[in-house]
Amino acid sequence: MSVIVTGINGQDGYYMCKYLLEHTSFMIYGTLRYRATKLTNAKEYFPDNPRFTMLHLDITDNVNVLNIIKKVKPQYFINFAAQSFVGKSWDIPHVTWTTNTMGVINILDSLKTECSHCRFYNAGTSEEFGDVLYSPQNEDHPLRPRSPYAASKCAARHIIRVYRESYGMYAIQGWLFNHESIRRGKDFVTRKITSTIASIKKNIESGERFEPLELGNMNAKRDWGDAEDFIDGVWKMLNQDTPPSEYILSSGTMYSVRDFLEECLRVADIQWSRCDNDVYVHTTTGEVISRVNSDYYRLADVNCLMGNNKKARLELDWTPKTDFSTLVRKMFEHDYL
Ligand code: GDR
């Protein structure tokens, strides 16, 4: 019995493999694109675990997808491989679409032909709701994407439904609201804040000067949860009695980028005052801790997202365990070590 998890270089792929190794007895095949990464690096991920195998897989290559599925014959296929940087998706719309949409078609079609009993999960996103009509968003909220990234995920959602309804496949795409961890990439705003504030804190302590943190839209509001909580919800979504439903996973709370920064400064115990235009100044030295740089603004941003997770709570018995302050503290303390 085996599971394929794609995108193990990323936060979600890694935590999914970890969860499955701890909670199941399946053989886990974790995949990542062939770049310079050697497969021998598998030891870095799950040292000496005989149930974990690392494979190269590029989901944009349908031959590669078909051959891996033929070889592994998985019971579950969990796709976290994606071009997941929303801001970058305007610069690389083709890569975004090819990976996030065509890649999904490649997987669906290979599963249909070679492994139609396999349960398939694709990573969906709150970004699909985009220009929201009401808050909190539930599963019935219309899809109103604002970025090439979000549009690619909406298209994937539609094609997954088509395969589910046409071929009777267990194929679903949950809506995951923002979810963070110590493994979050430093280009995403939360980890950018915790890692930069941690290094500023060290500079303050050693009496050295520092470069300020530079951020974009401080008013953007997001529903930030803990990635490890969400992985449990994904596995529950994959183990429903058929026919499967799609669910929102979210913390159900909403904070601005400004709130995240200020919470992180509190946790770091850095004394600051906020001046006009969101310039944050260190009280003792007068140095600028954080300021706005318009280069980080998006062509179209989603202003606020907050998920209604009632359906997942009731039907999957899923509950997010980590609150906002605990999440910020966990990430900051890791980066400050
Ligand atoms: P998001 O995450 O776009 O919500 O997508 P991100 O952390 O990139 O942005 C969140 C909000 O913060 C604002 N922002 C900045 N963002 C970044 N990256 N860098 C900055 O300096 C900055 N300043 C302000 C953004 O404008 C935005 O409003 C994440 C990804 O993981 C997606 O793949 C996933 O689908 C969604 O979460 C749910």
Side-chain angles (χ1 to χ4, degrees):
M1 301 279 270
S2 56
V3 184
I4 292 180
V5 180
T6 65
I8 59 163
N9 255 348
Q11 161 188 277
D12 293 358
Y14 173 84
Y15 281 126
M16 191 80 236
C17 291
K18 180 170 178 275
Y19 179 95
L20 293 172
L21 289 169
E22 286 168 6
H23 292 85
T24 74
S25 55
F26 290 108
M27 298 296 294
I28 311 302
Y29 291 84
T31 80
L32 75 180
R33 266 180 309 173
Y34 178 75
R35 287 290 180 269
T37 317
K38 294 205 174 71
L39 290 176
T40 46
N41 288 357
K43 288 200 179 352
E44 266 176 37
Y45 288 84
F46 302 102
D48 305 324
N49 193 318
R51 287 199 293 117
F52 179 75
T53 306
M54 199 159 104
L55 297 173
H56 280 142
L57 171 62
D58 188 331
I59 62 166
T60 64
D61 186 320
N62 60 345
V63 175
N64 194 191
V65 174
L66 186 66
N67 285 335
I68 294 281
I69 286 174
K70 271 186 182 170
K71 180 175 158 183
V72 175
K73 294 272 183 206
Q75 268 66 43
Y76 296 88
F77 192 118
I78 304 173
N79 183 39
F80 286 123
Q83 194 304 94
S84 62
F85 296 105
V86 178
K88 199 76 197 147
S89 69
W90 279 273
D91 298 332
I92 49 169
H94 281 266
V95 171
T96 304
W97 193 270
T98 308
T99 312
N100 299 358
T101 311
M102 300 307 291
V104 169
I105 296 178
N106 290 340
I107 299 167
L108 284 169
D109 215 70
S110 296
L111 289 176
K112 181 200 83 186
T113 316
E114 292 296 329
C115 211
S116 58
H117 64 278
C118 177
R119 296 187 167 200
F120 174 62
Y121 178 86
N122 190 51
T125 168
S126 45
E127 289 289 308
E128 293 171 56
F129 299 131
D131 189 13
V132 298
L133 298 177
Y134 56 84
S135 203
Q137 294 80 51
N138 59 15
E139 287 81 358
D140 297 325
H141 190 285
L143 305 182
R144 294 163 58 86
R146 297 266 287 161
S147 61
Y149 166 82
S152 73
K153 289 287 185 178
C154 291
R157 174 174 304 284
H158 289 305
I159 196 68
I160 287 170
R161 194 187 60 240
V162 168
Y163 269 68
R164 187 168 66 233
E165 292 176 356
S166 307
Y167 303 112
M169 292 170 70
Y170 192 118
I172 52 170
Q173 174 164 311
W175 286 271
L176 269 57
F177 281 61
N178 294 56
H179 46 290
E180 318 295 313
S181 74
I182 59 169
R183 296 189 77 90
R184 189 60 146 151
K186 289 180 183 169
D187 284 335
F188 296 99
V189 76
T190 53
R191 188 80 196 287
K192 181 174 172 182
I193 292 172
T194 59
S195 62
T196 313
I197 295 301
S199 84
I200 287 176
K201 167 89 175 161
K202 287 178 194 167
N203 282 20
I204 291 172
E205 285 172 344
S206 58
E208 289 169 56
R209 297 187 67 78
F210 52 82
E211 290 296 315
L213 169 66
E214 293 195 326
L215 294 168
N217 181 5
M218 301 288 285
N219 295 317
K221 291 184 179 152
R222 289 290 182 276
D223 178 330
W224 280 296
D226 186 311
E228 288 191 81
D229 288 349
F230 282 36
I231 290 304
D232 174 56
V234 168
W235 188 238
K236 287 185 162 148
M237 261 189 250
L238 272 168
N239 287 288
Q240 307 165 57
D241 297 333
T242 49
S245 231
E246 293 169 318
Y247 294 86
I248 281 177
L249 300 182
S250 68
S251 78
T253 59
M254 186 167 70
Y255 295 89
S256 65
V257 171
R258 187 179 298 105
D259 294 333
F260 196 103
L261 172 62
E262 294 187 3
E263 182 65 23
C264 187
L265 290 169
R266 260 190 294 278
V267 170
D269 197 22
I270 293 175
Q271 306 304 313
W272 48 271
S273 53
R274 175 153 60 94
C275 311
D276 291 347
N277 303 320
D278 282 304
V279 175
Y280 287 75
V281 176
H282 182 222
T283 317
T284 322
T285 63
E287 281 190 86
V288 175
I289 299 169
S290 178
R291 65 183 172 214
V292 171
N293 180 339
S294 57
D295 289 349
Y296 293 109
Y297 273 87
R298 295 179 181 171
L299 291 173
D301 207 352
V302 171
N303 295 327
C304 58
L305 287 168
M306 180 163 65
N308 179 343
N309 57 27
K310 193 172 162 195
K311 188 177 165 201
R313 281 177 186 269
L314 285 177
E315 296 177 14
L316 296 179
D317 192 25
W318 175 80
T319 15
K321 298 186 184 72
T322 314
D323 66 17
F324 177 72
S325 307
T326 310
L327 180 65
V328 178
R329 177 173 291 282
K330 207 159 101 173
M331 291 175 71
F332 170 79
E333 286 179 349
H334 170 84
D335 287 332
Y336 179 61
L337 267 183

